[in-house]
Amino acid sequence: MKKSRGRPRNFDSEEALGNALLVFWTKGFANTSLDDLAGAMQMKRPSIYNAFGDKKSLYRAALRSFSDRLADGLAALAESTDTEVGLQQFFIGALDVYMSGEQALGCLIFCTAPAEMAVADDVREDILTITVDTDKALKRVFDDAQRSGRISAAADTLATAQMTQAILHSLALRARAGQSRATLNRMARHAAKVLCA
């Protein structure tokens, strides 16, 4: 009997994507080979193509999946009634993700995608969309805090949102570079205080 050439019998697309995400997160897009992905996903190359498309399509799917984690953190921040405490928890939660493995990998999006943006317009558009959407979500948090009197009425809420995201990026890069958790926790707490002054 001829064997069928398709996905593995117990194929789980979320698990497969999660395994691919870990490879991209560790090695970046350019340094990840199809053999790396096939091994991590426990799939043959044709099955990967059938399920996810080419390597770049799989990488973009991994970026979207990772951005969902950021969205969860933003949702929790939006529900906080103490903006400074909420920001501290937002930054600390991000560090939990950035430093979750044996080796701190930072942020999949902002530690691996910048190199691809110069040569891949669709990746650049993905990152711009994630960046702008995050700015908007953070601005809503600061707009609400401003209306409630939790931050200054004179604060530029869009600029404050952009600065918040810039701190998030810095924490990611510092984590990947090997800065200590204690140092990054201190930076996160101080940043929250400054942003809410």
Side-chain angles (χ1 to χ4, degrees):
M1 180 186 285
K2 193 175 181 180
K3 290 184 179 178
S4 63
R5 295 178 57 198
R7 299 173 187 164
R9 205 173 271 179
N10 297 321
F11 174 75
D12 181 326
S13 61
E14 286 189 16
E15 181 180 352
L17 179 59
N19 290 336
L21 186 155
L22 285 173
V23 178
F24 285 129
W25 198 0
T26 303
K27 302 185 76 170
F29 176 79
N31 290 324
T32 294
S33 70
L34 286 171
D35 287 340
D36 292 332
L37 293 168
M41 299 168 77
Q42 298 184 343
M43 297 172 68
K44 295 184 185 297
R45 288 188 188 191
S47 298
I48 294 173
Y49 282 113
N50 288 337
F52 298 101
D54 62 12
K55 180 178 137 180
K56 188 164 68 170
S57 297
L58 180 56
Y59 177 67
R60 293 178 70 198
L63 292 177
R64 288 190 295 273
S65 177
F66 195 90
S67 72
D68 289 342
R69 301 185 191 188
L70 177 60
D72 290 343
L74 287 167
L77 173 58
E79 293 173 4
S80 177
T81 56
D82 185 319
T83 308
E84 183 179 333
V85 171
L87 273 177
Q88 285 183 19
Q89 292 171 344
F90 176 63
F91 290 141
I92 297 299
L95 286 170
D96 288 342
V97 173
Y98 297 161
M99 308 181 86
S100 58
E102 290 181 14
Q103 176 186 352
L105 297 175
C107 173
L108 169 71
I109 299 168
F110 294 105
C111 289
T112 69
E116 304 312 314
M117 290 191 286
V119 295
D121 287 345
D122 43 8
V123 173
R124 179 182 54 76
E125 289 166 9
D126 289 344
I127 301 311
L128 182 60
T129 297
I130 291 168
T131 301
V132 170
D133 287 349
T134 302
D135 283 342
K136 289 177 181 176
L138 288 166
K139 184 179 184 301
R140 286 192 293 271
V141 168
F142 290 114
D143 285 341
D144 181 64
Q146 198 171 56
R147 283 191 295 270
S148 304
R150 286 178 272 132
I151 65 170
S152 168
D156 181 332
T157 56
L158 176 57
T160 305
Q162 292 167 335
M163 288 172 62
T164 300
Q165 189 170 183
I167 289 162
L168 200 62
H169 298 171
S170 183
L171 289 170
L173 290 170
R174 289 166 182 270
R176 191 168 178 114
Q179 214 156 39
S180 74
R181 181 62 191 257
T183 297
L184 296 177
N185 282 346
R186 187 165 60 251
M187 177 180 168
R189 288 192 295 269
H190 184 68
K193 184 178 295 187
V194 170
L195 288 163
C196 294

